[in-house]
């Protein structure tokens, strides 16, 4: 009886220490772990840059940090999330332009694929 | 006997339970890493994030927003981080346009140039909700940026390291001489030739190839390899009693008859001073 209670208390203490007091360190994360609003804002930055550069290749490379999905699909996330995040009409328009450009985008060379 | 062994059994069970609990918490079901903040990104991803901020700033010239975005990365000094990244990109052979975007944002953080178009536009800062602390990722504190400052004084330094590659300068108008002055400072190396490359807005230009030539010799060096002295800074060591000529590789009239001036130290001894030259395009 006492041994069972002690073991249960030990497990509880272990969980407390491992989850609360000293959880696994979260550094050196990859961008796919970013919260949705940060991810959408990054896509907005890429869209704003695209407005200036008109370089779909650069935009696709920048979006590749989110993984191997097609860049248009990555960018379209911000279109879905943007309205609820308070993106302005100008910003949404910039993202739409980027998505449209990436939908017809073909990598100019092998090294530009995500 | 049993009464004396019971506490040991309990302690053993407690320790075993704690070990099991830690194994479960750290290995079987560790804290889920979701909804992290940019500050928790790996260094190379932070660089890409910073480059995207710079590219966005090059498009919208919204400095307030760029500052807010940079604050998310929780760099101790955003200017230093951007300047260092610009040098790394330059050394890695990345496109000059990308390097220039990062360097321009660093310059903008230092202070607005005399004709700053960014400050004339309405800033649209962004705000983010703090990241849930139970996920062990905290959002970055707002960064306090240094106030406006003009050109930094040039402290002690060593000669500019030789580049391992030749960056491709952006096409543009040729460089013209803005100012040239002698430096009689004993704390500086003898014969130092300091060159600062700037654009019409007064922003320093990194990656500019400069050519210094003298009878029987020529050497190429680049601006931006000492970000602590400015993104447009470059230097070269002149030998005494030799006449040099300086020009930018991508155009502009050469500046002739450059030589280390003769100076007098506080103790009355003479030494060779340096030159400080500003080139603008």
């Amino acid at each position: 009886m006492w041994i069972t209670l002690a073991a249960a208390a030990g497990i509880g203490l272990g969980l407390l220490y491992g989850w609360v007091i000293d959880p696994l360190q979260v550094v050196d994360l990859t961008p796919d772990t970013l919260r949705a609003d940060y991810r959408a804002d990054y896509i907005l930055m890429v869209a704003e840059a695209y407005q200036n550069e008109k370089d779909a290749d650069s935009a696709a490379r920048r979006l590749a940090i989110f993984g191997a999905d097609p860049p248009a699909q990555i960018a379209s996330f911000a279109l879905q999330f943007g309205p609820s995040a308070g993106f302005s009409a100008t910003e949404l328009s910039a993202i739409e332009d980027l998505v449209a450009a990436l939908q017809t985008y073909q990598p100019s060379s092998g090294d530009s694929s995500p | 006997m049993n009464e004396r062994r019971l506490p040991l059994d309990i302690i053993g069970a407690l320790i075993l339970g704690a070990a099991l609990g830690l194994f479960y918490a750290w290995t079987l079901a560790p804290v889920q890493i979701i909804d992290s903040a940019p500050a928790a990104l790996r260094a190379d991803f932070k660089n890409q994030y910073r480059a995207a901020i710079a590219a966005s700033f090059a498009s919208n010239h919204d400095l307030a927003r760029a500052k807010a975005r940079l604050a998310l990365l929780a760099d101790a000094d955003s200017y230093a981080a951007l300047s260092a990244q610009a040098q790394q990109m330059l050394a890695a052979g990345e496109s000059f346009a990308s390097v220039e975007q990062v360097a321009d944002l660093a310059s903008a953080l230092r202070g607005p140039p005399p004709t700053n178009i960014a400050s004339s536009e309405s800033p649209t800062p962004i705000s983010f909700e703090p990241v849930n602390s139970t996920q062990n990722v905290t959002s970055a504190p707002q960064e306090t940026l240094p106030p406006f400052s003009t050109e930094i004084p040039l402290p002690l330094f060593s000669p500019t390291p030789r580049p391992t590659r030749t960056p491709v300068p952006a096409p543009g108008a040729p460089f013209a001489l803005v100012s040239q002055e002698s430096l009689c400072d004993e704390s500086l190396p003898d014969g130092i030739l300091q060159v600062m490359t700037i654009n019409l807005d007064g922003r320093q230009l990194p990656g500019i190839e400069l050519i210094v030539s003298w009878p029987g010799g020529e050497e190429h060096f680049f601006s931006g390899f000492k970000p602590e002295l400015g993104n447009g800074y470059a230097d070269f060591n002149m030998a005494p009693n030799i006449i040099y000529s300086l020009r930018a590789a991508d155009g502009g009239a050469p500046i002739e008859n450059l030589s280390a001036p003769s100076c007098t130290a506080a103790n009355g001894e003479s030494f060779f001073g340096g030159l400080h030259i500003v080139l603008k395009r």
Side-chain angles (χ1 to χ4, degrees):
Chain A
M1 172 67 176
W2 284 108
I3 290 175
T4 305
L5 284 176
I11 290 172
L13 287 172
L15 291 176
L16 176 72
Y17 189 84
W19 277 344
V20 180
I21 297 172
D22 184 20
L24 284 179
Q25 291 298 311
V26 282
V27 292
D28 295 347
L29 298 183
T30 52
D32 58 299
T33 63
L34 282 177
R35 206 174 60 191
D37 54 345
Y38 295 128
R39 217 178 318 158
D41 188 55
Y42 181 90
I43 294 167
L44 174 59
M45 288 190 273
V46 175
E48 288 169 339
Y50 178 75
Q51 292 289 301
N52 182 40
E53 300 167 352
K54 298 297 180 192
D55 184 348
D57 210 43
S58 287
R61 271 200 301 272
R62 288 175 175 139
L63 292 174
I65 70 170
F66 289 118
D69 288 335
Q73 185 181 326
I74 295 172
S76 61
F77 166 78
L79 270 186
Q80 298 156 18
F81 185 84
S84 62
F87 283 15
S88 70
T90 307
E91 291 166 344
L92 290 172
S93 173
I95 298 169
E96 282 172 357
D97 287 349
L98 175 64
V99 172
L102 291 175
Q103 280 170 341
T104 56
Y105 157 75
Q106 295 292 326
S108 58
S109 60
D111 62 355
S112 61
S113 58
Chain B
M1 184 73 173
N2 283 343
E3 287 179 359
R4 293 180 64 183
R5 290 189 56 187
L6 188 59
L8 288 177
D9 293 342
I10 291 174
I11 291 170
L14 195 67
I15 291 171
L16 182 65
L20 286 172
L22 281 175
F23 178 70
Y24 188 81
W26 282 347
T27 307
L28 297 182
V31 171
Q32 291 297 309
I33 310 303
I34 55 171
D35 292 350
S36 67
L41 291 176
R42 209 171 62 199
D44 55 336
F45 292 125
K46 276 188 175 182
N47 285 347
Q48 293 186 54
Y49 204 96
R50 235 178 258 115
I53 295 170
S56 168
F57 174 71
S59 174
N60 61 22
H61 303 292
D62 190 337
L63 186 57
R65 182 167 237 185
K67 284 179 180 176
R69 283 166 166 162
L70 285 169
L72 298 174
L73 292 168
D75 294 321
D77 182 346
S78 292
Y79 170 78
L82 285 164
S83 296
Q85 183 173 336
Q87 311 318 313
Q88 290 167 5
M89 293 168 72
L90 200 60
E94 295 193 28
S95 74
F96 182 79
S98 303
V99 176
E100 192 174 36
Q101 287 173 346
V102 175
D104 278 352
L105 179 54
S107 299
L109 288 182
R110 268 292 176 186
T115 54
N116 183 25
I117 55 174
S119 59
S120 65
E121 298 181 9
S122 57
T124 52
I126 49 174
S127 61
F128 296 92
E129 294 296 321
V131 172
N132 189 344
S133 61
T134 60
Q135 288 152 344
N136 199 35
V137 183
T138 55
S139 65
Q142 287 296 310
E143 183 181 358
T144 304
L145 290 153
F148 170 81
S149 65
T150 53
E151 206 55 66
I152 54 174
L154 301 175
L156 280 172
F157 45 82
S158 55
T160 302
R162 300 292 171 264
T164 54
R165 57 172 288 280
T166 303
V168 180
F175 278 94
L177 176 66
V178 174
S179 67
Q180 174 182 335
E181 59 187 64
S182 296
L183 299 171
C184 281
D185 186 340
E186 294 174 75
S187 65
L188 298 176
D190 285 2
I192 190 74
L193 172 61
Q194 298 177 340
V195 183
M196 188 64 77
T197 54
I198 59 175
N199 67 7
L200 290 175
D201 290 335
R203 289 194 175 158
Q204 299 184 17
L205 299 172
I208 302 300
E209 184 178 5
L210 301 163
I211 304 171
V212 62
S213 54
W214 60 93
E218 179 177 287
E219 190 159 319
H220 295 232
F221 59 117
F222 294 84
S223 64
F225 276 88
K226 292 181 177 175
E228 70 278 14
L229 300 179
N231 288 321
Y233 175 84
D235 61 36
F236 171 81
N237 277 345
M238 297 182 290
N241 302 318
I242 292 186
I243 305 298
Y244 293 90
S245 170
L246 174 73
R247 64 188 170 89
D250 61 343
I255 305 159
E256 307 283 2
N257 298 321
L258 301 176
S259 63
S262 181
C263 300
T264 304
N267 61 5
E269 292 183 2
S270 62
F271 69 98
F272 286 102
L275 293 174
H276 181 73
I277 287 174
V278 178
L279 299 176
K280 180 191 277 188
R281 77 168 177 198

